[in-house]
């Protein structure tokens, strides 16, 4: 859910948050130290996972570049690994398509660890997605050539359910 309007107005008046634009309902903390302080307090009172879950829930209704990745990260930090997989994967594809190959590769490695954490079966289509992304990113980074990519992809497609 979004912040109650009264709370939002109070935070804006006290300049603790800022709107991202005058036409937007989205906002951000005015100071990173405030966000860090709230995170520290939440961690100390053992509410940090709940805070991350609430952030993920708010982001679920948003659209735009980077939203899926952020939602996936918050779900991961909330301990909801299985729920984090789809938005996290969407964020990886988004980074790859934007030409941010090194970041996409780093996120893909994290996603692979998440797949292992939840004991994803070897037959699950996610592993096919993982190999497809891995080969595309390697090709994008110039680590393998087209011929090598073609030899990898048949093994990838056997896991994809279309």
């Amino acid at each position: 859910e979004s912040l109650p309007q009264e709370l939002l107005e109070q935070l804006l008046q006290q300049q603790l948050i800022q709107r991202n634009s005058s036409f937007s309902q989205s906002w951000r903390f005015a100071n990173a130290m405030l966000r860090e302080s709230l995170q520290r307090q939440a961690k100390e009172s053992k509410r940090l996972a709940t805070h991350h879950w609430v952030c993920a829930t708010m982001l679920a209704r948003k659209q735009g570049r980077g939203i899926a990745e952020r939602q996936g990260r918050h779900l991961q930090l909330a301990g909801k690994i299985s729920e984090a997989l789809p938005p996290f994967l969407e964020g990886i594809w988004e980074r790859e398509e934007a030409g941010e190959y090194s970041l996409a590769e780093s996120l893909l490695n994290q996603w692979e660890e998440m797949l292992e954490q939840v004991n994803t079966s070897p037959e699950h289509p996610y592993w096919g997605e993982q190999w497809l992304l891995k080969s595309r990113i390697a090709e994008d980074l110039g680590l393998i050539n087209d011929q090598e990519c073609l030899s990898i992809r048949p093994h990838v497609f056997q896991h994809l359910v279309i």
Side-chain angles (χ1 to χ4, degrees), residues 22-118:
S22 56
F23 302 106
S24 173
Q25 288 294 342
S26 64
W27 55 269
R28 60 186 171 93
F29 287 105
N31 187 314
M33 289 174 46
L34 173 61
R35 181 178 46 82
E36 291 166 7
S37 177
L38 290 172
Q39 286 177 326
R40 184 180 31 71
Q41 289 176 8
K43 184 178 181 179
E44 289 170 358
S45 61
K46 305 207 184 319
R47 293 188 323 253
L48 188 56
T50 302
H51 282 230
H52 283 296
W53 183 83
V54 168
C55 288
T57 302
M58 287 192 303
L59 289 168
R61 287 188 297 243
K62 306 263 185 228
Q63 293 181 343
R65 189 173 172 344
I67 298 294
E69 180 184 330
R70 288 177 54 210
Q71 181 191 19
R73 175 75 63 213
H74 280 294
L75 286 167
Q76 177 192 27
L77 293 170
K80 307 286 186 187
I81 306 298
S82 293
E83 295 170 29
L85 291 170
F88 210 89
L89 177 62
E90 184 180 336
I92 297 167
W93 277 110
E94 208 174 77
R95 295 291 187 169
E96 191 275 336
E97 290 168 1
E100 298 171 344
Y101 309 126
S102 294
L103 184 53
E105 182 179 37
S106 174
L107 292 171
L108 183 60
N109 291 335
Q110 293 171 47
W111 191 69
E112 187 174 353
E113 289 174 14
M114 292 164 60
L115 288 173
E116 291 171 357
Q117 282 179 342
V118 295

Side-chain angles (χ1 to χ4, degrees), residues 135-146:
S135 68
R136 280 188 61 165
I137 292 168
E139 184 180 20
D140 293 334
L141 291 170
L143 300 175
I144 58 176
N145 61 35
D146 292 340

